[in-house]
Amino acid sequence: MSSTRTTKDQLFLVLKGLFMGAANKVPGVSGGIVAFVGGFYEEFIYSLQKINLKAFKLLLNGRLKSFIQYTNGKFLALLILGMLISYFSISKILDYFLIQKELYVWSAFFGMILGSIYYIAKDFNYWNKKTITIGLVGLLIGVSISFLSPAKENDNLLFIFICGMISVSGMTLPGLSGSFILILLGNYVLLLVDSVNALYDTFSEIVTGDFSFTKNTKRLKTLKILAVFTTGSAAGLVTLSHLLNFVLKKYKNNTTVLIIGFITGSLGVVWPWKKTIYKTSAKGEILLDSNNKKIISNYERYFPNFENSETWWAIFFIALGILILLGIDWYGNKRRKTI
């Protein structure tokens, strides 16, 4: 765990938070991969693991400085700041490009995940019958999750809390996309689109002195859902971090190879060449959410047509995604040599 950080390091940490936040919102992409490739995954898990009973005692006793030092609070605060900025900026830009240039966005992410597999596997030198078997198990789990069918939307508050606990796994488990899990649970639009937009609109109105939202029952219900989801996410984040900290310390090699297999299996989720299948009514009409957006049901994957120029552009973006990851690897190695 780093004790001191320069202003440049702090800025890069906020940028990493931006990328984590953006990755967490895109179905099929894991914020945990960003942490893993960015070289701060273990510190992230370790810091979350420090949010325990001792930390709360320090906070309740007014020992704020000790609390921040014990929990690596500056690191978490900068990372979370980046994520929050991302949810109200970069993630909205991503939403736009996913509508306008969906093939190219998925291609770039596909390339980045290919690059992340290389990044994680290149220094792993513990291949044997046991680790290969564990890797295959991870691969099968990743493939299985990729082809599950989504459930219907459910706004029951207990279920929302559980969604929060489960979906946050995308931040702690590289390769497991929290947003894709929310699609499978049927609540992606409700929790990562409607709720975030409701919070954004509420803040915008408060800034202008408009408090009319207090009489908007639909808005208040959505904000209540977001509060429960956030509470569930926080609970899941802390709980999973304790478990993962133990696993990473005791079974690091087995965990690493499981992650490699899992990420490889999850490539099916971000396969660029796929047709979006939308939910329809009994009459065959496409269903819309509260923001008049089509509700995604699943994806139909197909092989690319190499006679189409779009295919070659997609391949270019796959290569670009790989190069981005290789660039991050090169930058990390360069920094380690200068420290």
Side-chain angles (χ1 to χ4, degrees):
M1 184 175 69
S2 302
S3 56
T4 59
R5 283 188 169 88
T6 64
T7 303
K8 186 178 178 182
D9 290 332
Q10 292 176 356
L11 178 61
F12 270 109
L13 197 52
V14 174
L15 288 174
K16 288 171 181 176
L18 282 169
F19 284 115
M20 276 193 81
N24 282 326
K25 194 172 181 183
V26 178
V29 184
S30 164
I33 288 180
V34 176
F36 212 105
V37 175
F40 61 96
Y41 179 72
E42 289 191 32
E43 182 177 0
F44 177 57
I45 297 300
Y46 178 83
S47 301
L48 289 173
Q49 184 257 336
K50 285 293 183 178
I51 301 176
N52 51 28
L53 186 60
K54 181 179 177 180
F56 283 113
K57 284 182 179 178
L58 289 171
L59 193 61
L60 290 172
N61 291 330
R63 298 173 61 186
L64 185 61
K65 190 174 181 180
S66 298
F67 170 80
I68 292 172
Q69 187 175 3
Y70 178 72
T71 59
N72 200 16
K74 288 183 179 179
F75 167 83
L76 286 176
L78 290 168
L79 206 59
I80 291 169
L81 174 63
M83 291 183 203
L84 290 174
I85 294 171
S86 173
Y87 266 77
F88 296 107
S89 57
I90 288 180
S91 59
K92 286 187 174 292
I93 295 170
L94 269 175
D95 287 344
Y96 170 80
F97 280 106
L98 277 169
I99 294 171
Q100 300 297 324
K101 300 290 181 182
E102 185 179 18
L103 174 62
Y104 301 151
V105 174
W106 285 119
S107 297
F109 280 121
F110 188 80
M112 291 176 74
I113 293 176
L114 281 176
S116 71
I117 294 168
Y118 164 77
Y119 177 89
I120 299 168
K122 68 182 177 67
D123 295 324
F124 188 78
N125 300 312
Y126 302 95
W127 294 105
N128 52 49
K129 287 183 179 179
K130 183 179 180 180
T131 55
I132 289 172
T133 301
I134 292 171
L136 288 172
V137 169
L139 178 70
L140 289 172
I141 294 172
V143 171
S144 300
I145 290 175
S146 299
F147 291 95
L148 289 176
S149 297
K152 293 181 180 179
E153 185 173 290
N154 186 340
D155 62 0
N156 177 275
L157 293 182
L158 177 59
F159 184 71
I160 295 297
F161 183 84
I162 294 170
C163 282
M165 291 194 71
I166 295 173
S167 69
V168 82
S169 58
M171 289 174 62
T172 52
L173 293 171
L176 186 60
S177 169
S179 52
F180 184 70
I181 289 174
L182 287 180
I183 285 180
L184 296 178
L185 294 173
N187 277 357
Y188 175 78
V189 172
L190 175 64
L191 299 175
L192 291 189
V193 179
D194 293 350
S195 297
V196 173
N197 288 339
L199 184 63
Y200 180 82
D201 292 340
T202 302
F203 279 144
S204 299
E205 290 170 7
I206 290 173
V207 169
T208 58
D210 181 3
F211 294 91
S212 60
F213 71 90
T214 56
K215 298 178 182 179
N216 187 331
T217 54
K218 185 178 179 181
R219 174 83 65 81
L220 291 175
K221 181 182 178 182
T222 306
L223 290 174
K224 184 179 180 180
I225 286 171
L226 180 60
V228 173
F229 176 67
T230 304
T231 305
S233 297
L237 203 58
V238 174
T239 305
L240 272 174
S241 65
H242 282 75
L243 175 63
L244 285 170
N245 188 59
F246 169 78
V247 171
L248 283 169
K249 281 183 176 179
K250 196 163 185 179
Y251 307 103
K252 186 171 183 178
N253 292 334
N254 292 342
T255 305
T256 301
V257 76
L258 184 69
I259 288 170
I260 293 170
F262 194 86
I263 295 174
T264 305
S266 69
L267 281 171
V269 181
V270 287
W271 177 252
W273 294 277
K274 58 178 174 279
K275 179 183 177 183
T276 305
I277 301 172
Y278 297 100
K279 289 187 177 181
T280 57
S281 65
K283 296 180 180 179
E285 299 171 337
I286 295 176
L287 298 176
L288 304 176
D289 62 30
S290 57
N291 292 308
N292 290 321
K293 290 184 178 180
K294 298 174 183 178
I295 302 175
I296 297 173
S297 172
N298 214 325
Y299 298 101
E300 183 181 302
R301 296 161 184 86
Y302 60 90
F303 286 103
N305 177 9
F306 290 98
E307 293 180 1
N308 191 329
S309 61
E310 276 195 341
T311 297
W312 292 104
W313 274 109
I315 291 171
F316 166 78
F317 280 102
I318 290 174
L320 181 63
I322 294 172
L323 286 172
I324 289 171
L325 264 294
L326 293 178
I328 292 172
D329 182 29
W330 172 82
Y331 176 78
N333 289 333
K334 185 180 178 181
R335 279 186 59 79
R336 282 190 287 273
K337 288 177 181 178
T338 56
I339 292 174

